[in-house]
Amino acid sequence: MRLAVLRKFIVLCCLLPLVAQAEVYKWTDQYGKIHFSDKPVAGSEKQHLQSMSGISNPAFNLKRNAMRVKYQDKNGSMIVQGRVNNIPMQFILDTGASLVIIPPNIAKRAHISTTNARLITLQTANGATQSYMVNISNLQVEQLQQRGVRAAIQQVSANPNLGLLGMSFLSAYKMSIDHDQHIITLEPR
């Protein structure tokens, strides 16, 4: 008798997580606070949840929270695709640059104003130069996004859509580079 009860208990314990995850309801109370429950309440909406295995981004590693970013090798520089306030551009990965550098063309298209920006001196390979320091509302590289990223507005090459991805963005990540596969792995610190 005890063995039969124990077997039923074990089966119930195995099925319980499936039942518990089956239905979730969401509702907002009179004060505007959002609530979630496994039991329906008047005015609640059933939520449709996906399991974590439903993520369809193979470049994202759930165990390490790491993102793999492809780069192009152009004349020894690692070029990655990005967006500044949703404006596409290319960046040279530059761990020696303190700031992200965006060209004036991109700053204008991304509606980044220099009206109240601070004028700073940048030390470059070609010597000192003056530049405006601004904050980028939204900087994106692949699926990685940061808000309020410090940047300088400066032309870095003849390409009007090329900037530098410096440490004001990169310092949030531990980075490893696979030069054979042309992949940069960025893992949040």
Side-chain angles (χ1 to χ4, degrees):
M1 176 79 169
R2 287 184 187 167
L3 187 57
V5 171
L6 182 60
R7 284 185 185 150
K8 287 180 184 178
F9 178 74
I10 290 172
V11 170
L12 181 62
C13 287
C14 291
L15 293 176
L16 191 58
L18 298 174
V19 173
Q21 192 177 23
E23 295 179 346
V24 174
Y25 298 90
K26 175 183 170 185
W27 76 95
T28 305
D29 67 19
Q30 66 216 27
Y31 303 107
K33 187 174 180 181
I34 297 173
H35 299 271
F36 293 91
S37 175
D38 60 347
K39 295 181 176 52
V41 175
S44 65
E45 295 177 8
K46 185 176 178 182
Q47 302 296 296
H48 300 284
L49 304 175
Q50 293 180 349
S51 68
M52 288 304 286
S53 63
I55 293 176
S56 62
N57 183 354
F60 191 74
N61 180 331
L62 287 173
K63 292 183 178 120
R64 289 182 40 216
N65 265 350
M67 175 61 70
R68 297 174 62 189
V69 177
K70 292 284 281 176
Y71 74 86
Q72 295 175 0
D73 185 344
K74 289 189 180 174
N75 301 322
S77 294
M78 292 179 280
I79 309 292
V80 296
Q81 302 299 315
R83 292 182 164 276
V84 171
N85 296 347
N86 213 28
I87 303 299
M89 66 172 290
Q90 296 179 322
F91 290 100
I92 298 171
L93 184 79
D94 189 350
T95 58
S98 300
L99 299 172
V100 168
I101 308 292
I102 57 172
N105 166 53
I106 297 295
K108 183 177 181 180
R109 291 176 49 212
H111 305 290
I112 298 173
S113 173
T114 58
T115 303
N116 295 321
R118 188 174 66 155
L119 196 59
I120 61 171
T121 301
L122 294 177
Q123 294 296 328
T124 70
N126 296 327
T129 183
Q130 296 288 303
S131 181
Y132 287 106
M133 186 161 66
V134 296
N135 279 327
I136 298 173
S137 298
N138 187 3
L139 177 58
Q140 183 175 349
V141 175
E142 297 283 342
Q143 286 79 22
L144 299 171
Q145 284 191 62
Q146 288 186 31
R147 300 196 184 285
V149 177
R150 289 180 308 126
I153 299 175
Q154 185 74 37
Q155 193 71 40
V156 297
S157 80
N159 180 344
N161 297 320
L162 184 65
L164 299 179
L165 191 61
M167 293 308 290
S168 59
F169 179 87
L170 293 170
S171 66
Y173 306 99
K174 290 186 264 180
M175 180 172 49
S176 62
I177 301 170
D178 181 337
H179 292 288
D180 294 331
Q181 299 293 318
H182 290 220
I183 293 174
I184 303 162
T185 303
L186 297 170
E187 184 177 354
R189 289 190 184 272

